[in-house]
Amino acid sequence: MIPKIVEKDGYQFRVTEIKKQACKGGKNIRSVVIGENVTKIGASAFLNCTRLKKITFQSKKAPKFGKKAWKGIVKKCKITVPKQMTAKQLRKLKKAVKKAGAGSKVTYKKK
């Protein structure tokens, strides 16, 4: 899970970005929850996470994705978004996920 806030030395920091190649090649990653403050996912962040089959976004807005951010994940991956996400944001997310390397067999669900 990528949290929305992390705490260090008594200070709280908002997690707004997943850096490039953060989880690249993570063979044991099966699902990921992207916190609501994340606005950018870097290039190759989840490249070749071959067992990643469930992605949950907690934000109502679609984040930006770097090249190949989702390349190599399970082809029939299931993506869940909040009910409050607008149709426009969902279309934007679908387009961005596909461009970032996920296959066309990805399914989306509002929850």
Side-chain angles (χ1 to χ4, degrees):
M1 177 171 167
I2 311 297
K4 67 179 189 175
I5 295 174
V6 293
E7 195 169 317
K8 174 135 170 101
D9 298 329
Y11 294 99
Q12 290 186 341
F13 301 94
R14 295 173 87 186
V15 178
T16 59
E17 182 177 347
I18 299 172
K19 290 290 189 180
K20 64 180 184 176
Q21 299 183 0
C23 299
K24 181 180 177 183
K27 303 292 182 194
N28 295 322
I29 299 174
R30 295 177 191 273
S31 66
V32 65
V33 178
I34 308 293
E36 67 181 270
N37 293 331
V38 175
T39 58
K40 183 179 178 188
I41 298 175
S44 305
F46 295 94
L47 178 68
N48 292 329
C49 290
T50 55
R51 293 184 180 176
L52 180 57
K53 60 183 173 184
K54 184 178 176 189
I55 303 167
T56 303
F57 289 96
Q58 293 181 331
S59 177
K60 296 178 232 170
K61 292 186 82 179
K64 293 183 170 119
F65 300 103
K67 291 181 180 181
K68 299 180 183 178
W70 302 109
K71 188 155 180 78
I73 65 171
V74 173
K75 291 182 183 197
K76 292 185 179 181
C77 181
K78 294 179 185 354
I79 296 179
T80 305
V81 298
K83 277 184 181 178
Q84 299 86 359
M85 183 178 270
T86 63
K88 181 179 179 181
Q89 286 296 318
L90 184 58
R91 282 192 305 272
K92 185 177 176 182
L93 178 74
K94 287 179 180 181
K95 185 177 178 182
V97 167
K98 188 174 182 179
K99 188 175 180 183
S104 58
K105 295 181 180 182
V106 172
T107 58
Y108 296 85
K109 176 180 163 186
K110 283 190 172 188
K111 189 172 185 181

